[in-house]
Amino acid sequence: MKVLLFGATGNIGRAIAAELAARGHEVTGVTRSAGAGTGSAVPLVAGDVADAEQVAELAQGHDVVASAVGPRIGADDDRTIILGAADGLIGGLRKAGLRRLVVLGGAGSLRAADGTRVVDDPHFPELWKANALAQIEALGRYREADDLDWTYISPAKLIEPGERTGVYRLSGDDLLVDAEGRTRISIPDYAVAFADQIEGGQALRTRVSVAY
């Protein structure tokens, strides 16, 4: 399978690229500057995810477009980056005539056990709030794109470096919590779940959440 991956040099993007490459997929990574991807497991090209024309051009000849364009803690332009990526991806796939899109999402819109959104918890870190609210807006835009076969994959509240076990649980809009009340996933296991969605294509036009 030929996969075009935006955000391929971020912490999560690198793990997704490596996981896909290890499975034998032909992956092209896209970054703002192709020369900035030292240590990448896949070849890199330069491109702007917010530019629908560039997305369409780069998507030609690929089976799937994926995006690991993710949060930058405390960034002032979070909303611009996240919504720009959503609009660029949606518009670019439409221009390219390609339907399959898999994107890294946020956890802020997930539903906690009491029915409230994670982002509305008074203990939610203020530093991450702008990003979480922008991710919620982006999810709304993907949900309106009913002409695309998109999947939005939300990680657990805590996603961090760790080992690849290949084991994870999936849900929909609910925050997954383990028996000890923790909500977490390692970056490598999130990458496994992401790659599984690319390969399986069962969760179409919907959001899934991933955690242990």
Side-chain angles (χ1 to χ4, degrees):
M1 190 178 297
K2 293 185 177 181
V3 182
L4 183 70
L5 175 63
F6 287 88
T9 57
N11 289 336
I12 299 174
R14 281 199 303 270
I16 292 169
E19 180 69 28
L20 289 168
R23 297 186 187 199
H25 297 294
E26 187 177 331
V27 183
T28 300
V30 187
T31 67
R32 294 280 293 192
S33 173
T38 56
S40 173
V42 300
L44 301 173
V45 297
D48 183 359
V49 70
D51 186 325
E53 293 290 348
Q54 288 189 36
V55 173
E57 182 178 349
L58 291 169
Q60 296 297 327
H62 290 85
D63 302 299
V64 180
V65 172
S67 174
V69 175
R72 300 187 306 162
I73 187 165
D76 293 333
D77 54 352
D78 260 349
R79 186 173 184 276
T80 300
I81 292 169
I82 292 167
L83 296 183
D87 291 341
L89 290 165
I90 292 167
L93 263 71
R94 286 171 173 162
K95 289 177 183 292
L98 185 64
R99 293 181 61 91
R100 188 70 177 116
L101 173 64
V102 182
V103 297
L104 164 67
S109 59
L110 291 171
R111 187 170 50 230
D114 63 1
T116 62
R117 298 181 307 180
V118 169
V119 71
D120 296 324
D121 185 325
H123 301 295
F124 190 87
E126 191 64 33
L127 201 58
W128 285 103
K129 189 162 285 189
N131 182 280
L133 294 174
Q135 290 281 11
I136 290 168
E137 280 191 72
L139 176 56
R141 296 187 187 188
Y142 291 120
R143 282 176 166 157
E144 292 172 357
D146 56 8
D147 56 329
L148 301 180
D149 292 332
W150 58 270
T151 306
Y152 180 99
I153 307 178
S154 289
K157 283 173 66 176
L158 179 61
I159 178 169
E160 60 184 351
E163 67 175 315
R164 181 193 184 283
T165 69
V167 177
Y168 61 87
R169 292 184 295 150
L170 280 182
S171 185
D173 291 326
D174 293 321
L175 178 70
L176 286 167
V177 178
D178 68 16
E180 276 130 26
R182 297 173 299 178
T183 167
R184 61 190 182 88
I185 189 76
S186 74
I187 291 174
D189 280 337
Y190 177 87
V192 170
F194 197 100
D196 286 348
Q197 287 300 317
I198 286 177
E199 291 180 338
Q202 296 174 334
L204 299 181
R205 294 178 293 282
T206 193
R207 182 258 292 280
V208 296
S209 59
V210 182
Y212 290 130

